[in-house]
Amino acid sequence: MPELPEVETTLRGIAPHITGKTIHRVHIRQPKLRWLVPENLSETLCHQVILSCSRRAKYLILQFEHGIVLIHLGMSGSLRIFTPDNVPLAGKHDHIDFECADGTVLRYHDPRRFGAVLWYAGAAEHHHLLQSLAPEPLSDEFNIAYLTPLLNARRQPIKTVLMDNKIVVGVGNIYANESLFLSGITPQRPANQLNATEIAQLIHNIKQVLQRAIECGGSTLRDFVDSNGKSGYFQQEYRVYGRHNQPCLQCGMPIHKIVIAQRASFYCANCQK
DNA sequence: CTGTTCTCCTGTGGGC
DNA sequence: TGCCCACAGGAGAACA
């Protein structure tokens, strides 16, 4: 499931291969993603140059002269680059090909189709999906002065609040669990009960764990080119996520699994208070 | 405004 | 070995 580090790694993996290139056509095999892929996307993008590639939250943004293509990988989406004359036949869930004039193909693959590929004839910051997003977790804007009043206004479990895009973007289920473990904070604690030290710890650990995962992704960048995609994303070592009943890596006590707001939550009752 | 529930979809894995 | 089915999960949308 692509979390922010995977999306960032995807961006770095594809950007050098498509930036500055001209779209020749777009093949849409399955338009029914989270939202319908615009039917006329190929006509819209034909002869248009990909000016730049960027990321906001877990959205990838391809910048064109007259608008943007917005890509979200949902939870099973991936992007691959195929070099000219090296493009394999499309597989079952290869829903969209962006074909460049030089033959390079950017292929969107998404078995569960929770992702999105959209066109917006305007600036990225004006798109309704992007304009009300909270700060990036790795930015300086995401700091103690910013977060403290927002947490104090919430009674929900801290884990739920961390996953709220109005508080901070890009912290999904896995990294919410991981950063709370690293901070010694139990996921069900009401957000307004965290003290200043804990908030500082949490911010530090969110940045740390995301940054580390992005650095791990750096060694897999070649996987985005001419790969069959089966290797998938890098395997991150998780400290609590998915470790139900396994010994805590700090104290050896079994890891608990509970459901908070319909999401699997893992924690050590001994290390996290 | 906060908070909760529903929804999209298919691969996986447990139960039998 | 095969069938059935609950389940996971990002995050917007709808609603209380």
Side-chain angles (χ1 to χ4, degrees), chain A residues 84-116:
Chain A
D85 307 318
N86 208 7
V87 184
L89 238 52
K92 190 177 177 190
H93 302 294
D94 294 334
H95 304 315
I96 300 176
D97 279 1
F98 296 87
E99 199 179 311
C100 299
D102 74 347
T104 299
V105 167
L106 174 67
R107 178 167 287 175
Y108 178 84
H109 174 95
D110 187 3
R112 294 187 193 176
R113 290 164 35 207
F114 274 25

Side-chain angles (χ1 to χ4, degrees), chain A residues 10-243:
Chain A
T10 297
L11 171 68
R12 295 180 189 183
I14 66 172
H17 303 278
I18 58 170
T19 304
K21 291 192 177 169
T22 302
I23 298 287
H24 174 58
R25 63 175 167 177
V26 182
H27 261 192
I28 304 172
R29 302 184 187 84
Q30 169 57 276
K32 289 169 75 175
L33 303 183
R34 174 165 191 179
W35 296 288
L36 211 58
V37 179
E39 204 176 348
N40 57 356
L41 189 61
S42 194
E43 289 78 1
T44 303
L45 296 181
C46 186
H47 305 312
Q48 298 297 304
V49 177
I50 300 171
L51 301 174
S52 64
C53 307
S54 58
R55 177 187 66 75
R56 178 73 175 98
K58 293 179 188 170
Y59 291 98
L60 290 166
I61 302 163
L62 307 187
Q63 182 69 54
F64 292 87
E65 188 183 353
H66 302 294
I68 56 168
V69 166
L70 208 54
I71 302 175
H72 198 291
L73 301 177
M75 60 163 296
S76 59
S78 62
L79 287 165
R80 299 280 156 181
I81 295 286
F82 295 106
T83 49
D85 307 318
N86 208 7
V87 184
L89 238 52
K92 190 177 177 190
H93 302 294
D94 294 334
H95 304 315
I96 300 176
D97 279 1
F98 296 87
E99 199 179 311
C100 299
D102 74 347
T104 299
V105 167
L106 174 67
R107 178 167 287 175
Y108 178 84
H109 174 95
D110 187 3
R112 294 187 193 176
R113 290 164 35 207
F114 274 25
V117 173
L118 300 170
W119 165 254
Y120 177 65
E125 60 266 30
H126 295 142
H127 195 281
H128 72 281
L129 291 172
L130 303 180
Q131 65 183 358
S132 56
L133 290 176
E136 291 286 328
L138 294 174
S139 71
D140 292 339
E141 208 186 327
F142 182 60
N143 58 33
I144 296 169
Y146 164 79
L147 190 60
T148 302
L150 292 180
L151 294 193
N152 287 339
R154 298 289 202 106
R155 283 163 295 182
Q156 284 172 299
I158 181 62
K159 174 164 174 284
T160 306
V161 175
L162 286 183
M163 293 172 66
D164 186 339
N165 276 349
K166 291 192 289 299
I167 304 293
V168 61
V169 300
V171 180
N173 198 36
I174 293 172
Y175 291 102
N177 278 295
E178 293 294 308
S179 58
L180 284 167
F181 174 77
L182 289 172
S183 306
I185 301 167
T186 202
Q188 58 269 56
R189 276 267 296 286
N192 61 2
Q193 286 180 19
L194 268 64
N195 64 38
T197 310
E198 290 171 324
I199 295 174
Q201 271 292 307
L202 193 51
I203 291 171
H204 173 80
N205 284 319
I206 289 170
K207 290 174 186 283
Q208 193 76 18
V209 73
L210 289 173
Q211 192 60 56
R212 237 192 67 86
I214 289 170
E215 283 160 15
C216 285
S219 59
T220 70
L221 289 183
R222 60 187 174 77
D223 290 350
F224 285 86
V225 183
D226 292 342
S227 152
N228 60 17
K230 279 177 184 160
S231 60
Y233 295 105
F234 55 94
Q235 285 302 307
Q236 178 73 18
E237 278 262 316
Y238 300 131
R239 290 174 179 83
V240 277
Y241 183 81
R243 299 195 65 246

